[in-house]
Amino acid sequence: MNTLCSRGSPAQRRHLQLLLFGLALALSACSTGPKYPPLPSMALDETPDYLIGPGDNVNIFVWGLPELSSSVPVRPDGKITTPLIEDVPATGLTPTELARDMEEVLATYVLDPVVTVIVTGFVGPYNRQVRVVGEAVNPQGVPYREDMTALDLMIQVGGLTEFAAGNKASIVRVVDGKPKQFNVRLDDLIKRGKIEANVYMLPGDILIIPETWF
């Protein structure tokens, strides 16, 4: 820099110094980026129950009545239809809650029905999926799995692109009814193998991976 600034007229040298100073400030701003707090630790027993969503397939078993048992998809409107029962809301319910609702409706036709609901083909409600946006190889919404971590999620979306600023990534999570943003160090986790950078995900989380500027 001293060699470059020693050449040319004083005005040119001053102009060059200002350009270099401005570039240094820009690079500093890019390298610093926004600051978010680290993601708080989460106990495994805090993992919420699975909620049924559109696209899920549910197996309805009515004890002792195979003619009323069936395997049906959850429609885009969030409802299911089974023998004797039409348009039962399923989205946003746990399998147990749906089973109790089915028993209540079936009680009109059957004495003391006992229903079990088993979910297959998991998708889950859209607001309970984990979404990845930005510089992932395949950014997408991913159905939440119990004990899902950031590493599991990155494997699902194919990892980071070459332009990703992994250590500037953040997770948007609803806490006490309000969205909050937390830092996650994906470069340390994926490229440097620092397992302490791995964090647990929750349904509804949004992982944002920005693009690096240099």
Side-chain angles (χ1 to χ4, degrees), residues 59-107:
N59 295 330
I60 310 294
F61 295 97
V62 183
W63 185 259
L65 295 169
E67 66 275 13
L68 297 182
S69 301
S70 59
S71 178
V72 297
V74 181
R75 303 195 308 252
D77 64 358
K79 298 178 181 179
I80 62 172
T81 297
T82 65
L84 292 183
I85 304 177
E86 295 182 351
D87 299 336
V88 177
T91 292
L93 301 178
T94 67
T96 299
E97 289 171 338
L98 178 57
R100 300 294 82 78
D101 287 353
M102 297 288 292
E103 289 173 350
E104 184 176 347
V105 177
L106 280 172

Side-chain angles (χ1 to χ4, degrees), residues 37-42 171 173 181-184 199-201 205:
L39 200 67
S41 59
M42 182 192 73
I171 291 174
R173 175 175 295 174
Q181 203 155 1
F182 303 94
N183 176 248
V184 58
V199 295
Y200 283 101
M201 308 299 297
D205 281 353

Side-chain angles (χ1 to χ4, degrees), residues 2 17 31 38 42 46 50 56 59 102 104-105 114 126 140 147 176-178 198 211:
N2 291 336
Q17 289 173 341
S31 62
M42 182 192 73
E46 294 177 5
Y50 180 81
D56 285 350
N59 295 330
M102 297 288 292
E104 184 176 347
V105 177
V114 177
Y126 293 121
Q140 59 184 293
D147 299 340
D176 297 329
K178 297 181 179 180
N198 200 14
E211 182 180 3

Side-chain angles (χ1 to χ4, degrees), residues 80-159:
I80 62 172
T81 297
T82 65
L84 292 183
I85 304 177
E86 295 182 351
D87 299 336
V88 177
T91 292
L93 301 178
T94 67
T96 299
E97 289 171 338
L98 178 57
R100 300 294 82 78
D101 287 353
M102 297 288 292
E103 289 173 350
E104 184 176 347
V105 177
L106 280 172
T108 304
Y109 312 98
V110 179
L111 180 64
D112 296 329
V114 177
V115 177
T116 300
V117 174
I118 298 176
V119 182
T120 59
F122 300 95
V123 176
Y126 293 121
N127 64 350
R128 304 276 289 183
Q129 294 179 12
V130 180
R131 297 178 177 86
V132 182
V133 297
E135 295 301 317
V137 174
N138 296 300
Q140 59 184 293
V142 177
Y144 176 77
R145 299 289 189 269
E146 184 180 6
D147 299 340
M148 175 183 279
T149 67
L151 182 58
D152 299 324
L153 188 59
M154 293 312 301
I155 292 172
Q156 187 78 20
V157 300

